[in-house]
Amino acid sequence: MGSIDEEVSLLEVEESLIQEELKLYAEDGSIDIYGNPPLKQKTGNWKACPFIFANECCERLAYYGIAKNLITYFTNELHETNVAAARHVMTWQGTCYITPLIGALIADAYWGRYWTIACFSAIYFTGMVALTLSASVPGLKPAECIGSLCPPATTVQSTVLFSGLYLIALGTGGIKPCVSSFGADQFDKTDPSERVRKASFFNWFYFTINVGAFVSSTVLVWVQENCGWELGFLIPTVFMGLATISFFVGTPLYRFQKPKGSPITRVCQVLVAAYRNLNLKFSEDQCAGFLTKPQLYQKEKPNPIHGSSIYTLFVQQGRSMKRTIGSFEIPPATLGMFDTASVLISVPIYDRIIVPFVRRFTGLAKGFTELQRMGIGLFVSVLSLTFAATVETVRLQLARDLDLVESGDTVPLTIFWQIPQYFLMGTAGVFFFVGRIEFFYEQSPDSMRSLCSAWALLTTTLGNYLSSMIITVVAYLSGKDCWIPSDNINNGHLDYFFWLLVCLGFVNLPVFVFFSVKYTHKKV
């Protein structure tokens, strides 16, 4: 009898040892670089994140080093009108947010997130080189104005420029939907402690994005307007190369999720199965079973369209305000630093103060649900637009009072009045964009996380294209030089356009709240 008890005891000890050994490895189906289950102490978690953060920081510095001041390049170097330049910039930025659908499908179905990021980074870098050449090589560089005569860009010059820009758009399509998901993959969702760290990861991921954006809004914008566009485009090209190198350096520390086949095939299979079972009857118990499993049943997803690319109009507004301190002239795009500064301030406050405080009342490890967080962000963004509209109303009134409407001269209203609108927009991003990234990651199946991240980015695309369409329609219906004039915005009504966006924002808020209330979350 004693020997039997001893054998049972030994089996229990052995089973306990096996369980302890299993806890040493990630249990979420990930593998290490050698194809083995990854050891938690040697892979993933925060130890892998610095390389991903460095990659994202440098890549975003490169992207915003172009995007932040691109409208100035189009108007000053290519001699385009304000309307044409804004339309080009918004269309390009919109394309940058629709190409992620391509990268996401490739990542989820075939290559995995790691190799998709690596390959599309090469395309991105090629586009950066082409863009730099278009601003540097004499035959490709736009001709300078001779007096009041400003020759348009030639076909060859435009081809090289737009080829570079849209190669960048394609390259970013393989990076945007994959980097945040790849970073979140470094945390084992079956481990409660790592799951809490993953919620914090999204905050600090957005923080690193804005470190890159801060440098581009300050240093790069100043370089572009004071040292030339050749150097202004060369610097972000170098940083894109550093982004790629940083990503590869961290390879031994990463955890990898294997691609699980085409998500489109899975969606089609679900639709076919649903059609075949259309007339199938379920018992009450079966129906109750479906309704208690969030992975099988979720209500409608909210589908907000968040107006974006408003920064291009902020820059045009700032260009017509007082921008000098003594003999120093402030480039209007530099005010974007206050957007990113607000993020750099808000993320630590949110992660270390707000979340622990709200957690006491909600009982959620992350404080707010993702949709509550996004709703707060949308509301703050409307406040930002309201302030921008108010500033523009005052600016135009001053232009009329001082008889500056026809001349188009700078209005003696300091550009620093734009700080609140930039600061509020940055704070809105901490709530809305981080909440959106986390929402689409957590609520999507493992095999579709890159694709779902791409769908999240698609809402930004819709906002860019909607902004571009509204500008075009307004310019057509209101006359050539009405709301957004070609050259002299003192003779227009940019304030009307801002107020229109405020109205659209207030219409969007109740729609978002309606769908948010109806949505059923996965419990994470």
Side-chain angles (χ1 to χ4, degrees):
M1 190 72 177
S3 62
I4 294 176
D5 291 339
E6 290 177 1
E7 288 181 8
V8 172
S9 179
L10 287 171
L11 287 172
E12 289 177 350
V13 170
E14 185 178 350
E15 184 178 349
S16 176
L17 290 173
I18 292 173
Q19 292 298 325
E20 289 297 323
E21 185 178 354
L22 286 174
K23 290 180 181 179
L24 297 176
Y25 295 88
E27 300 176 17
D28 58 352
S30 60
I31 58 175
D32 61 18
I33 187 62
Y34 305 107
N36 301 318
L39 270 170
K40 289 185 178 182
Q41 290 185 343
K42 294 186 177 180
T43 64
N45 218 314
W46 287 118
K47 66 177 66 68
C49 290
F51 301 96
I52 298 172
F53 287 155
N55 168 267
E56 183 65 11
C57 179
C58 292
E59 186 274 328
R60 289 291 86 188
L61 186 149
Y63 175 81
Y64 287 118
I66 298 167
K68 287 280 187 181
N69 211 22
L70 187 58
I71 192 167
T72 303
Y73 185 75
F74 275 113
T75 53
N76 290 0
E77 304 299 318
L78 296 182
H79 321 306
E80 292 192 348
T81 64
N82 286 331
V83 171
R87 187 163 53 242
H88 279 311
V89 172
M90 290 180 180
T91 302
W92 174 72
Q93 289 184 335
T95 304
C96 287
Y97 284 90
I98 201 170
T99 53
L101 288 173
I102 300 172
L105 285 171
I106 294 174
D108 284 340
Y110 306 107
W111 294 355
R113 287 185 264 277
Y114 175 84
W115 285 111
T116 301
I117 295 169
C119 294
F120 277 78
S121 292
I123 297 173
Y124 196 127
F125 183 74
T126 302
M128 293 291 299
V129 171
L131 182 65
T132 303
L133 292 175
S134 73
S136 306
V137 178
L140 303 177
K141 185 179 179 180
E144 295 182 0
C145 293
I146 302 175
S148 60
L149 181 63
C150 297
T154 65
T155 302
V156 173
Q157 291 169 347
S158 297
T159 299
V160 174
L161 171 65
F162 284 104
S163 294
L165 285 175
Y166 283 93
L167 278 174
I168 293 169
L170 178 59
T172 197
I175 299 174
K176 276 181 180 290
C178 297
V179 173
S180 61
S181 296
F182 185 70
D185 288 344
Q186 307 307 309
F187 299 88
D188 185 357
K189 65 181 179 182
T190 65
D191 186 326
S193 62
E194 289 200 17
R195 198 160 57 235
V196 172
R197 292 172 199 151
K198 180 168 63 177
S200 184
F201 162 81
F202 289 108
N203 293 325
W204 294 105
F205 178 79
Y206 192 66
F207 181 90
T208 59
I209 289 175
N210 283 273
V211 170
F214 183 82
V215 174
S216 64
S217 298
T218 52
V219 178
L220 284 183
V221 168
W222 185 88
V223 168
Q224 288 167 353
E225 299 213 2
N226 293 275
C227 301
W229 291 93
E230 301 92 333
L231 184 60
F233 284 156
L234 177 62
I235 292 174
T237 302
V238 172
F239 272 94
M240 186 57 216
L242 292 175
T244 306
I245 294 171
S246 171
F247 183 71
F248 281 115
V249 168
T251 299
L253 298 176
Y254 296 148
R255 297 175 188 172
F256 305 85
Q257 291 286 347
K258 294 180 181 179
K260 296 178 173 63
S262 175
I264 295 179
T265 302
R266 283 183 169 79
V267 172
C268 292
Q269 288 172 341
V270 171
L271 293 175
V272 170
Y275 176 77
R276 288 179 175 175
N277 296 328
L278 193 62
N279 297 319
L280 191 63
K281 295 182 179 180
F282 292 94
S283 68
E284 291 184 5
D285 291 340
Q286 288 174 313
C287 291
F290 278 107
L291 295 177
T292 56
K293 295 178 181 178
Q295 70 271 22
L296 296 177
Y297 175 80
Q298 291 177 347
K299 293 183 181 180
E300 294 92 333
K301 293 181 181 178
N303 184 28
I305 298 176
H306 182 70
S308 50
S309 290
I310 195 67
Y311 297 104
T312 57
L313 295 179
F314 283 4
V315 171
Q316 288 186 1
Q317 181 189 45
R319 194 169 290 282
S320 296
M321 301 173 74
K322 182 183 177 183
R323 298 184 284 121
T324 55
I325 300 178
S327 60
F328 179 75
E329 185 173 289
I330 303 169
T334 303
L335 269 290
M337 66 179 285
F338 291 100
D339 174 300
T340 51
S342 73
V343 173
L344 301 182
I345 295 169
S346 300
V347 166
I349 292 174
Y350 182 86
D351 193 72
R352 301 302 180 188
I353 299 175
I354 296 178
V355 169
F357 177 76
V358 175
R359 186 185 295 152
R360 299 176 183 177
F361 303 95
T362 63
L364 296 173
K366 64 184 72 176
F368 297 105
T369 67
E370 295 94 343
L371 294 180
Q372 289 170 342
R373 185 171 182 173
M374 291 164 67
I376 295 170
L378 284 174
F379 176 74
V380 176
S381 71
V382 173
L383 294 182
S384 171
L385 291 170
T386 302
F387 199 93
T390 303
V391 169
E392 183 62 14
T393 301
V394 172
R395 194 192 69 79
L396 287 176
Q397 185 59 51
L398 273 175
R400 288 189 287 269
D401 293 344
L402 299 175
D403 197 24
L404 301 175
V405 174
E406 297 299 328
S407 66
D409 291 340
T410 299
V411 175
L413 181 68
T414 178
I415 194 173
F416 291 118
W417 277 109
Q418 285 192 310
I419 291 176
Q421 67 201 54
Y422 278 105
F423 200 90
L424 285 171
M425 196 63 78
T427 304
V430 171
F431 285 91
F432 181 84
F433 288 111
V434 179
R436 187 184 67 176
I437 293 170
E438 189 174 1
F439 174 80
F440 277 89
Y441 182 87
E442 296 289 5
Q443 302 297 311
S444 61
D446 293 344
S447 61
M448 296 179 64
R449 281 190 166 143
S450 296
L451 183 61
C452 288
S453 295
W455 281 113
L457 295 168
L458 187 62
T459 62
T460 305
T461 304
L462 295 176
N464 277 292
Y465 287 145
L466 181 61
S467 298
S468 181
M469 183 187 71
I470 291 173
I471 288 176
T472 302
V473 171
V474 165
Y476 176 78
L477 295 179
S478 303
K480 184 179 179 182
D481 294 320
C482 194
W483 282 19
I484 308 177
S486 298
D487 300 303
N488 177 15
I489 67 170
N490 289 353
N491 197 28
H493 273 291
L494 185 58
D495 57 335
Y496 289 176
F497 186 77
F498 284 146
W499 286 119
L500 174 62
L501 294 182
V502 170
C503 293
L504 291 175
F506 277 116
V507 169
N508 186 36
L509 274 172
V511 174
F512 180 85
V513 171
F514 173 77
F515 283 108
S516 297
V517 170
K518 291 173 69 66
Y519 190 81
T520 302
H521 274 271
K522 282 184 181 179
K523 299 297 183 183
V524 178

